[in-house]
Amino acid sequence: MFDVFIQKLYANFIQDDRYMYIVNGFFTTCKIALVAIVIGLLLGFVIAIIRSSYDMNKDHSKNGLGSILLSLANKICNLYLTIIRGTPVVVQLLIIYFVIFSTVNVNKTFAAICAFGFNSAAYVAEIVRGGIMSIDKGQLEAGRSLGFSYPLTMIFIILPQAIKNVLPALGNEFIVLIKETSVAGYIAIEDLTKGGDIIRSRTYSAFIPLITVACIYLIVVLVLSKLLNILERRLRAGER
Amino acid sequence: MNADNPLIKVTNLEKVFGKKGEISTHALDNVSIDINRGDVLVVVGPSGSGKSTFLRCLNLLEVPTGGSVIFEGQDITDPRNNINKLRMKMGMVFQQFNLFPHMTVLKNMTIGPVKLLKKSQQEAEKTAMELLERVGLADRAGSYPNQLSGGQKQRIAIVRALCMNPDVMLFDEPTSALDPEMVGEVLDVMKALAKQKMTMICVTHEMGFAREVASRVVFMENGRIIEDNSPKEFFENPTNPRLKEFLDKVL
């Protein structure tokens, strides 16, 4: 019984250096997830700020160029959110690789990073907007009454408080994103999931490679949530 | 600028809430008043009379729908004037304190001077500590706002506004959210401020404060200024029947 297990381990990982499928896949998954998180955060914050600025300023709107631009930007953001949140990420991935990048020869990983980054941005945007809207209006008024412009009030007063409040939800979004990258195999990227699956198809034994892959995802997620926990505690230090 | 000019000249100020065609409320109706340097103007009136709206229009937290507010020779409603620069000279204290909860007391007080007036951190902290000393809260410099009592928060909010070295202080019901035993400590700070000839505009329900400290008392109702008088005349010989009725109720 034990011998059989050892034999299977050997066939799945050591023979023909098959463990490299897992190792390479792990790094591909990490690369896609990390860069996508960064894109998602940057783009998500921009969208959130546009949307909440529009919401907060529309009641005393001046008819200047600025408010017309803001209103236009808000409409574009709404359209973006509707499309991204209304369609499955796999379909978006396929469209980006086979339709949008069909004529230009791009790296598959780059296409995946774009797909997951743009997808995540939509969710990050709504999380952050919720955080911004949850801050008492008095904070904005206090900042403005000291003489801070609207953008400076955002940077120094609203966003630091909002980020603290949305950190758990953002962490959740990162976790979802990491796991979502497992569909990258649809455009033949050899990520962690695909790596495990390739081993399965070579050795005809499903249990060991797939459970290994699952465990690696689990460890990554556990480490990430631990790190977020520490960050959250740091940010809250002294306040209570 | 001529020193005889009023510090704030309010002309035909009007504020209508709600869009055209919908049901709208006239919060301010043709309000005109001159506020001179050194005035301690107390605004009283029943709730919904437009007192707070009036105050908030003075630094454009509420955008008036008509009329003008000339502060130090500049019309604050004119979009060509930099409202942020003008607001630096108008301190504001809110009913709900609105301290920044993610900063220590000292940071609350220095962020404005450092980021906006481009003072050095040391210089700003020195001023802040002097002001904290004056209101008896120097030992709380390192505390966060939610470690303070309401009265302490409001005193910090007042000195935070003072850190910007404003020409006028606006108070929007500064004692209304406080426990009764904490009202005194905040009023004491405001009284001291009035003694130093700070120009103050204060919306309040504290009639004792109005009588004792104000140089002028204004009564508002339905978005209009009905009475504008010295506190002595205001409380002892009210002429307007609505004012008489109001004073009977609150005194």
Side-chain angles (χ1 to χ4, degrees), chain A residues 31-234:
Chain A
K31 191 162 80 181
I32 295 174
L34 274 180
V35 184
I37 284 174
V38 173
I39 293 177
L41 274 179
L42 292 178
L43 189 60
F45 265 88
V46 170
I47 296 173
I49 289 169
I50 290 173
R51 297 240 303 146
S52 52
S53 299
Y54 176 80
D55 283 349
M56 280 194 253
N57 289 321
K58 71 178 168 196
D59 34 331
H60 40 94
S61 56
K62 291 155 271 176
N63 291 323
L65 182 68
S67 67
I68 293 169
L69 281 179
L70 184 61
S71 160
L72 183 70
N74 180 59
K75 285 212 174 74
I76 293 171
C77 290
N78 276 340
L79 183 68
Y80 181 83
L81 293 187
T82 309
I83 292 171
I84 296 289
R85 293 196 300 165
T87 54
V89 66
V90 179
V91 177
Q92 291 164 15
L93 178 68
L94 293 174
I95 289 176
I96 284 189
Y97 185 60
F98 290 114
V99 180
I100 295 175
F101 288 148
S102 63
T103 48
V104 275
N105 193 13
V106 293
N107 188 321
K108 279 179 205 153
T109 312
F110 177 76
I113 286 172
C114 288
F116 293 117
F118 293 154
N119 180 273
S120 181
Y123 294 94
V124 170
E126 286 300 88
I127 292 170
V128 173
R129 187 173 72 94
I132 292 173
M133 300 309 264
S134 77
I135 304 300
D136 183 49
K137 203 163 176 271
Q139 292 290 313
L140 177 69
E141 290 184 345
R144 295 305 307 271
S145 76
L146 279 175
F148 284 104
S149 63
Y150 183 82
L152 287 181
T153 310
M154 267 289 166
I155 292 168
F156 292 127
I157 293 152
I158 310 288
L159 282 179
Q161 298 181 53
I163 289 170
K164 219 178 287 179
N165 289 351
V166 300
L167 211 57
L170 273 186
N172 192 41
E173 169 57 26
F174 296 158
I175 289 170
V176 169
L177 176 63
I178 288 172
K179 293 184 296 175
E180 238 172 26
T181 59
S182 61
V183 300
Y186 267 91
I187 57 171
I189 290 176
E190 293 186 8
D191 72 324
L192 183 55
T193 307
K194 189 77 178 173
D197 202 40
I198 290 172
I199 297 175
R200 180 193 60 79
S201 65
R202 299 275 156 85
T203 61
Y204 299 108
S205 76
F207 183 81
I208 290 176
L210 295 185
I211 294 295
T212 307
V213 166
C215 286
I216 293 174
Y217 277 114
L218 186 64
I219 291 165
V220 170
V221 168
L222 284 177
V223 169
L224 181 73
S225 38
K226 187 77 199 159
L227 287 177
L228 284 163
N229 249 327
I230 293 170
L231 179 66
E232 207 183 318
R233 237 177 300 146
R234 282 262 170 89

Side-chain angles (χ1 to χ4, degrees), chain A residues 60 136 138-139 141-149 152 156-157 160-161 164 237-240, chain B residues 56 59 63 84 87-88 90 92 94 98-103 111 115-116 144 146-147 160 164:
Chain A
H60 40 94
D136 183 49
Q139 292 290 313
E141 290 184 345
R144 295 305 307 271
S145 76
L146 279 175
F148 284 104
S149 63
L152 287 181
F156 292 127
I157 293 152
Q161 298 181 53
K164 219 178 287 179
E239 247 181 77
R240 299 258 150 96
Chain B
R56 291 160 57 82
N59 71 350
V63 182
N84 299 320
R87 276 180 181 147
M88 289 178 207
M90 308 173 109
M92 180 141 189
F94 299 87
N98 294 342
L99 293 177
F100 307 135
H102 59 303
M103 301 176 186
I111 185 165
K115 303 285 182 198
L116 298 170
Y144 282 87
N146 49 14
Q147 298 165 334
R160 175 177 71 179
M164 296 295 286

Side-chain angles (χ1 to χ4, degrees), chain B residues 2-148:
Chain B
N2 189 338
D4 293 339
N5 278 346
L7 181 65
I8 303 177
K9 186 174 179 61
V10 180
T11 320
N12 299 333
L13 195 65
E14 196 184 63
K15 173 73 187 179
V16 182
F17 286 108
K19 284 176 188 153
K20 273 173 209 157
E22 293 171 17
I23 301 162
S24 56
T25 10
H26 235 95
L28 289 178
D29 190 2
N30 243 334
V31 172
S32 297
I33 188 170
D34 289 354
I35 297 147
N36 299 308
R37 275 173 204 280
D39 269 356
V40 177
L41 183 79
V42 171
V43 184
V44 298
S47 63
S49 60
K51 321 180 286 287
S52 281
T53 309
F54 167 69
L55 194 75
R56 291 160 57 82
C57 279
L58 294 183
N59 71 350
L60 214 66
L61 280 185
E62 216 68 77
V63 182
T65 43
S68 68
V69 178
I70 314 282
F71 172 64
E72 298 188 336
Q74 294 191 63
D75 186 351
I76 65 153
T77 57
D78 188 338
R80 280 168 302 180
N81 289 328
N82 185 344
I83 183 62
N84 299 320
K85 280 262 177 328
L86 292 170
R87 276 180 181 147
M88 289 178 207
K89 294 187 228 161
M90 308 173 109
M92 180 141 189
V93 176
F94 299 87
Q95 185 178 353
Q96 297 298 337
F97 328 127
N98 294 342
L99 293 177
F100 307 135
H102 59 303
M103 301 176 186
T104 61
V105 164
L106 197 60
K107 189 83 201 294
N108 260 283
M109 295 173 70
T110 53
I111 185 165
V114 169
K115 303 285 182 198
L116 298 170
L117 305 179
K118 305 292 171 205
K119 283 192 184 177
S120 71
Q121 186 67 33
Q122 286 119 314
E123 201 185 344
E125 277 180 16
K126 193 166 159 273
T127 320
M129 287 310 294
E130 281 168 15
L131 284 163
L132 281 177
E133 203 79 57
R134 241 202 274 166
V135 296
L137 288 171
D139 54 327
R140 307 317 299 265
S143 305
Y144 282 87
N146 49 14
Q147 298 165 334
L148 304 174

